[in-house]
Amino acid sequence: MSFELIKILPTPEDICAEYALPAQLKELKKKRDAEIRDVITGKSNKFLVIIGPCSADNEDAVCDYVNRLAKLNDKVSDKLILIPRIYTNKPRTTGEGYKGMVHQPNPEEKPDFLAGLIAIRKMHIRAFQETGLSAADEMLYPENWPYLSDLLSYVAIGARSVEDQQHRITVSGFDVPAGMKNPTSGDFSVMLNSVYAAQHPHSFIYRGWEVRTTGNDMAHTVLRGATNKHGQNLPNYHYEDLNLLLEMYGKMDLKNPACVIDTNHSNSGKKFDQQVRIAKEIMHNRKLNSDIHSLVKGLMIESYIEEGCQKIGEGIYGKSITDPCLGWADTEKLILDLAEYE
């Protein structure tokens, strides 16, 4: 085999023991998890806003951003639950480019996975400790889940991972909500089949163990738009799309029908400034239709301190080095506006 075995990495148990979550944060996470679960199950009318940088590339800038969110959270917590996006793995369409902090704690240096695993855990703990906001991350590598499993209150499964068997069955062992995105083709049935798989029990091999899961009844759909065979972006957040998703949910034996809508990616054609308009259209559609209101539980929004994006090495603090994001001024206004909707 053409594998070069470089070094054995510490187990999740080793890393988590060395960089342990303080006891008071464990209790706070239980409270946050319960509040978020109540939204997914329909017990709470609050609305989820999963928001933050496309990729978490710098601990200081990310924690600065989450601290700003926390101050805003105090103003909107009666209506919204803000969940910071601290995405430490970055999927790449071609396999080229920055793959996230777990690969490169410093984007300008070579990959260092040991340093990366430590860096992502320390960053998540710091952000939580400073703000009281437990975060969301994307599960790009199912075997890496235990390195952060005690810290995350929400997990996203990306458009290129959602059809993968290992991702689906690993989600079935989570005790937090997992958003299963529609694939890049836009096929709703693939997404719903992934939710079905994640909601049911499975037996499989995981990190060298034979394991059995009980199913995750908080697995749900995420609409992120599609790309057709001509490379054109096709949004799927419109009223008609949501009615179709409702109809398809009704034909499947799924618990807690729920949808979170990604306002960027193919829904915006990666025109980051359109996220404000898209978010408001979705909130308007929730007002028009009580079934859509019950189905759509939240939004995913890409936002950072500075708007747009930059190339690696430009060194602009708080500006994305991957996909372009909303800036803080527009973010703050949008969150306050979202809190005004019923």
Side-chain angles (χ1 to χ4, degrees):
M1 293 175 66
S2 57
F3 279 74
E4 180 186 354
L5 302 180
I6 299 170
K7 61 185 173 185
I8 296 175
L9 294 170
T11 66
E13 292 78 13
D14 292 338
I15 296 282
C16 293
E18 188 171 354
Y19 302 94
L21 184 64
Q24 68 270 23
L25 291 185
K26 292 180 183 178
E27 291 305 310
L28 181 55
K29 183 175 181 298
K30 286 180 184 177
K31 181 182 176 185
R32 284 267 293 174
D33 288 354
E35 289 175 348
I36 295 167
R37 179 185 178 87
D38 284 349
V39 174
I40 298 294
T41 62
K43 292 181 182 178
S44 168
N45 287 323
K46 289 187 179 181
F47 193 71
L48 305 178
V49 181
I50 303 154
I51 187 166
C54 172
S55 57
D57 60 303
N58 177 283
E59 180 181 313
D60 289 338
V62 167
C63 289
D64 179 352
Y65 177 89
V66 179
N67 272 277
R68 298 180 190 208
L69 270 190
K71 291 175 184 174
L72 197 51
N73 188 64
D74 292 339
K75 299 178 182 179
V76 300
S77 59
D78 59 327
K79 293 285 189 69
L80 307 177
I81 297 178
L82 303 185
I83 305 175
R85 276 177 58 111
I86 303 181
Y87 280 27
T88 56
N89 303 279
K90 174 64 180 171
R92 309 305 309 206
T93 303
T94 65
E96 294 296 322
Y98 177 64
K99 297 182 180 70
M101 190 178 281
V102 74
H103 284 252
Q104 293 169 272
N106 184 333
E108 296 184 53
E109 295 179 1
K110 292 181 179 178
D112 185 335
F113 290 94
L114 175 57
L117 290 170
I118 293 169
I120 65 173
R121 186 161 177 86
K122 287 175 67 177
M123 177 173 58
H124 270 283
I125 291 175
R126 176 183 166 187
F128 193 10
Q129 202 158 26
E130 290 182 359
T131 67
L133 299 181
S134 50
D137 202 343
E138 179 172 354
M139 188 183 74
L140 186 57
Y141 307 108
E143 65 273 19
N144 287 353
W145 157 251
Y147 288 104
L148 295 175
S149 60
D150 59 333
L151 283 161
L152 301 178
S153 285
Y154 187 96
V155 178
I157 306 301
R160 296 163 188 83
S161 302
V162 75
E163 296 186 68
D164 177 64
Q165 177 81 341
Q166 191 74 8
H167 283 81
R168 293 176 172 194
I169 60 181
T170 302
V171 169
S172 73
F174 289 5
D175 58 359
V176 295
M180 317 293 281
K181 288 193 173 185
N182 65 257
T184 53
S185 68
D187 191 331
F188 281 14
S189 63
V190 168
M191 171 178 62
L192 287 163
N193 286 337
S194 295
V195 173
Y196 186 94
Q199 288 194 358
H200 287 76
H202 297 280
S203 296
F204 56 103
I205 297 170
Y206 186 74
R207 294 191 62 90
W209 285 82
E210 178 182 340
V211 300
R212 183 169 56 247
T213 61
T214 56
N216 180 357
D217 64 357
M218 291 179 287
H220 59 274
T221 58
V222 178
L223 299 181
R224 50 86 72 200
T227 306
N228 69 14
K229 65 181 181 181
H230 303 293
Q232 297 166 320
N233 291 303
L234 304 175
N236 59 12
Y237 61 85
H238 295 304
Y239 187 91
E240 295 78 10
D241 298 301
L242 299 176
N243 268 331
L244 174 61
L245 182 57
L246 271 168
E247 181 183 329
M248 295 178 73
Y249 251 120
K251 294 177 180 177
M252 296 188 70
D253 180 23
L254 293 171
K255 299 174 183 176
N256 304 316
C259 175
V260 170
I261 301 177
D262 181 343
T263 60
N264 212 13
H265 296 97
S266 292
N267 270 333
S268 69
K270 292 196 175 181
K271 296 176 181 175
F272 72 92
D273 56 336
Q274 294 299 303
Q275 292 184 98
V276 174
R277 176 190 61 77
I278 291 166
K280 290 181 177 179
E281 178 180 327
I282 293 160
M283 300 306 280
H284 178 66
N285 287 337
R286 291 178 84 238
K287 285 178 66 176
L288 293 176
N289 185 315
S290 60
D291 290 333
I292 288 176
H293 191 282
S294 296
L295 177 72
V296 179
K297 306 290 189 182
L299 299 174
M300 284 185 179
I301 300 169
E302 291 195 318
S303 151
Y304 211 177
I305 296 169
E306 300 294 334
E307 72 171 24
C309 63
Q310 63 180 321
K311 293 180 180 178
I312 292 174
E314 288 188 45
I316 302 171
Y317 179 80
K319 191 169 188 176
S320 175
I321 60 171
T322 47
D323 289 350
C325 299
L326 283 179
W328 179 252
D330 288 333
T331 297
E332 183 175 32
K333 185 175 186 307
L334 175 58
I335 289 173
L336 293 172
D337 286 346
L338 291 175
E340 294 298 314
Y341 286 88
E342 292 298 331

